[in-house]
Amino acid sequence: VASGKGGTGKTLLATSLASTLASRGPGVAYVDADVEAPNGHLFLKPTITDVARHTVRVPMLEGGACSGCGLCAEACRFGAIVAGGEGVTVYPELCHSCGVCVRACPERSLGEKARETGTLRRGQAGPVGFVDGTLDVGEARAVPLIEATVKESTRWPLAVLDAPPGTSCGARAAVDGADLVLLVCEPTPFGLHDLDLSLQMCGALGLPTAAVLNRSDLGDGEVRSLLSDKKVPLLAEVPFDREIAMACAAGVLATERVPELAATVNRLADHLQDGYGHLLT
Amino acid sequence: MRQISIISGKGGTGKTSLAGAFVHLAGSCVAVDADVDAANLALLLPGADASWLPFESGQRAVIDPGRCTACGTCLEACRFAAVAQAGTGMRSDPLRCEGCGACAQVCEEDAVSFRANRAGSWTIRTGPWGTLVHARLGVAQDSSGKLVTHLRREARRLAARDGRQWVLVDGPPGIGCPAHAAITGVDGVVVVTEPTEAGAHDLTRALDLAHHFGVSAGVVLNKCDLSAEGARRVETVASRWKVPLLGSIPFDPRLPRSLGRRETGLELGGVRESIVACWTAVGDVLVGRSPVEEHLVALGAN
């Protein structure tokens, strides 16, 4: 579940859809890969069974064989390691964990250590399996944690994955390899512009797409034209409803408070199981 | 020159609409759209773009099929799963490659070369409301932070050149790389939130980020009347972080349609007054002005 624009209702849809699918049969998980702003737990209220710190590899000097030759610094394309004087200085926030410096060291005195960048949690929310990743505040690189979170989804036969907004590397990492990308969009000029970018991203990655139009009555029709031009099926429409907004405000699953929304998500689940059953088995 | 950045943590809280309104209210400003992978501020600020310029950042590996023997050493060395077998040789996927050079480092056939990576493009727009520096990040690109830094540097240059009082940065959602680039070194951060559980949760993370970078922050509560309970939650977060509530803006279902007419909410009675109050608080509460500056502003006005 993705969108170019933020705040279109990805989490609302992903949590509701996961709950609805889980009520129909076992083996369904909700996976929150919006690691910069993970909010699914607020609505699903899972019992957390497993908490692990996520780490990336960064270089470190092992032993005392460093000659200060500077070949590691020369090889690093990110400016993350500087040689001089008594050894090397590593700037971990610039490091991409590529391992090039380690291989470049003729003395074999560079090793790698784990550096924590976030938290990965597993749990259960009633019938719904639950995973989320949370990036530490101050940490710049979300992609490794997003990839680790997405990898968790393979433990379930069917995972509804909540992606970060946008179309940059983080969004790419979250949708890459998905069987279907459900784009949540809204009929505003911003929504239209960002939907177009999302479709370009999914096109470049060769991913099948479908759309859900949220707050469908609060704007113009251009989003519908774009979807039909690009032959992207519109699987559901959710009109603006203060009751949904109130439920989100209170941190409860809106499908439990708003029967119309529950019916819409149910029909969406039917659509997915009928039209995309080959992807979801 | 004062630099103000508008961020939110959670997406869709109304950063861009508010930034557009602030541009109109500021009068003398250079605006920056720092949400480079979903840049929308230009939709609210009609004007003429200068020519689009390429933004290059990093490199991408290119494997020469004439030299590649498909030995697979590069595939093992690549930690980004960018290399895959394609036909009789290896191919590096530019959407996954981070340009680290591991493949070239291990290739015994000298088959890997590098090309500059075009991460996006950017331009300067001028209109009756002022100047906007904006960009388009290439799809799935990883250089959003660097592009934001570039746009902000350009905006500061233009503001200094033209004697503008404000640089207004419309930030990205989230708390990662581009958000860092959007708030480092600014005079104040406006965190736009909404009265929801998720809004309050992400507000906490955004305020934590501002604190981490040592930047003073203020909160704008958008769509404030959607939930009294949610509004109280947001106020609690703000007071726990000892951050001022700069103002509250009511929800108006006419706003989504008015955005289509390139309006920012300043045209809607009830909304306008609350946005003006927020902007006044940015000057008075968030950045404040020293007596000397007040004097200079008064001199300028005369």
Side-chain angles (χ1 to χ4, degrees):
Chain A
V1 179
S3 81
K5 185 178 177 315
T8 55
K10 284 181 298 298
T11 301
L12 167 73
L13 187 77
T15 50
S16 312
L17 183 60
S19 292
T20 302
L21 289 168
S23 71
R24 297 177 175 196
V28 178
Y30 165 85
V31 177
D32 197 345
D34 187 3
V35 303
E36 295 181 44
N39 290 326
H41 67 103
L42 301 172
F43 302 98
L44 289 173
K45 302 183 170 54
T47 306
I48 299 298
T49 50
D50 199 1
V51 179
R53 292 291 286 157
H54 175 257
T55 61
V56 296
R57 287 179 279 185
V58 292
M60 63 177 292
L61 213 47
E62 289 176 337
C66 176
S67 66
C69 69
L71 286 173
C72 55
E74 239 171 72
C76 176
R77 300 191 172 210
F78 309 109
I81 187 164
V82 172
E86 294 292 294
V88 296
T89 308
V90 176
Y91 297 95
E93 63 279 8
L94 298 177
C95 178
H96 285 225
S97 311
C98 66
V100 164
C101 55
V102 175
R103 216 178 281 112
C105 177
E107 328 289 345
R108 301 201 173 279
S109 56
L110 274 181
E112 288 179 299
K113 67 174 176 184
R115 173 168 173 270
E116 296 184 354
T117 65
T119 303
L120 202 56
R121 305 190 301 171
R122 288 186 205 140
Q124 194 72 31
V128 188
F130 178 90
V131 177
D132 74 359
T134 306
L135 188 70
D136 288 350
V137 173
E139 200 57 54
R141 296 189 67 237
V143 169
L145 177 55
I146 293 173
E147 287 172 345
T149 308
V150 171
K151 202 171 170 197
E152 288 287 316
S153 64
T154 57
R155 296 151 45 92
W156 279 271
L158 179 54
V160 180
L161 215 145
D162 200 349
T167 56
S168 69
C169 50
R172 193 273 300 153
V175 300
D176 210 0
D179 298 297
L180 175 69
V181 182
L182 206 50
L183 294 167
V184 186
C185 47
E186 55 182 43
T188 62
F190 297 172
L192 176 72
H193 179 261
D194 298 345
L195 172 63
D196 194 18
L197 293 173
S198 294
L199 290 172
Q200 287 176 34
M201 176 179 76
C202 293
L205 295 168
L207 299 168
T209 51
V212 172
L213 188 57
N214 195 11
R215 297 175 207 124
S216 54
D217 50 345
L218 286 190
D220 51 37
E222 284 185 64
V223 164
R224 288 184 185 83
S225 324
L226 177 66
L227 291 171
S228 73
D229 286 353
K230 305 265 173 169
K231 300 192 169 48
V232 177
L234 178 56
L235 299 187
E237 295 193 27
V238 181
F240 176 75
D241 185 340
R242 248 172 213 272
E243 289 298 313
I244 297 176
M246 302 282 276
C248 290
V252 292
L253 268 184
T255 40
E256 288 170 7
R257 289 249 183 114
V258 187
E260 294 84 356
L261 179 66
T264 304
V265 175
N266 244 314
R267 281 196 303 275
L268 173 63
D270 291 343
H271 265 306
L272 291 174
Q273 288 182 324
D274 296 346
Y276 299 87
H278 57 290
L279 300 175
L280 304 180
T281 47
Chain B
M1 182 204 312
R2 297 284 201 188
Q3 296 186 70
I4 301 292
S5 194
I6 302 167
I7 62 167
S8 69
K10 185 178 179 316
T13 57
K15 284 181 299 296
T16 301
S17 311
L18 189 68
F22 279 2
V23 168
H24 289 297
L25 294 172
S28 170
C29 85
V30 177
V32 180
D33 193 340
D35 189 4
V36 290
D37 59 318
N40 290 329
L41 186 54
L43 297 174
L44 291 181
L45 300 173
D49 284 329
S51 51
W52 284 84
L53 300 170
F55 178 77
E56 292 188 343
S57 176
Q59 296 185 313
R60 294 292 176 262
V62 180
I63 300 173
D64 180 353
R67 293 188 168 208
C68 177
T69 59
C71 69
T73 331
C74 56
L75 193 147
E76 276 164 41
C78 177
R79 289 189 178 176
F80 307 104
V83 182
Q85 178 126 23
T88 55
M90 295 292 164
R91 184 180 172 272
S92 177
D93 178 352
L95 291 181
R96 291 181 180 81
C97 175
E98 300 198 9
C100 70
C103 50
Q105 191 180 33
V106 299
C107 180
E108 289 174 9
E109 313 298 331
D110 206 14
V112 185
S113 60
F114 290 87
R115 61 168 174 83
N117 172 46
R118 183 167 177 168
S121 51
W122 67 282
T123 190
I124 298 167
R125 173 175 291 196
T126 44
W129 35 265
T131 308
L132 168 70
V133 187
H134 65 128
R136 292 184 198 130
L137 186 74
V139 156
Q141 282 284 343
D142 64 351
S143 303
S144 53
K146 285 179 184 158
L147 182 50
V148 170
T149 302
H150 175 74
L151 299 183
R152 283 191 52 204
R153 194 183 300 127
E154 199 58 31
R156 285 197 301 276
R157 183 183 71 77
L158 292 168
R161 187 193 71 185
D162 301 340
R164 303 284 174 83
Q165 279 179 307
W166 299 95
V167 171
L168 293 176
V169 182
D170 179 16
I175 58 154
C177 175
H180 297 190
I183 71 167
T184 47
V186 298
D187 298 289
V189 168
V190 176
V191 185
V192 188
T193 189
E194 57 185 34
T196 63
E197 176 114 9
H201 178 257
D202 297 341
L203 169 65
T204 306
R205 286 165 69 73
L207 291 176
D208 196 356
L209 186 73
H211 178 76
H212 182 90
F213 282 96
V215 182
S216 61
V219 174
V220 167
L221 177 57
N222 197 10
K223 307 171 202 169
C224 62
D225 49 343
L226 279 183
S227 160
E229 183 193 353
R232 271 194 302 279
R233 202 172 274 143
V234 165
E235 282 161 19
T236 307
V237 172
S239 75
R240 198 187 320 129
W241 282 84
K242 298 187 174 59
V243 162
L245 188 63
L246 300 170
S248 299
I249 303 169
F251 173 74
D252 190 322
R254 291 173 296 172
L255 189 62
R257 285 187 199 280
S258 74
L259 291 174
R261 298 188 296 270
R262 292 173 164 171
E263 296 172 358
T264 58
L266 290 174
E267 302 76 9
L268 301 172
V271 176
R272 177 183 176 86
E273 293 73 19
S274 52
I275 296 176
V276 170
C278 291
W279 175 244
T280 307
V282 167
D284 293 349
V285 181
L286 183 58
V287 296
R289 287 201 190 104
S290 70
V292 176
E293 283 167 316
E294 288 291 355
H295 181 63
L296 289 173
V297 169
L299 281 180
N302 292 333

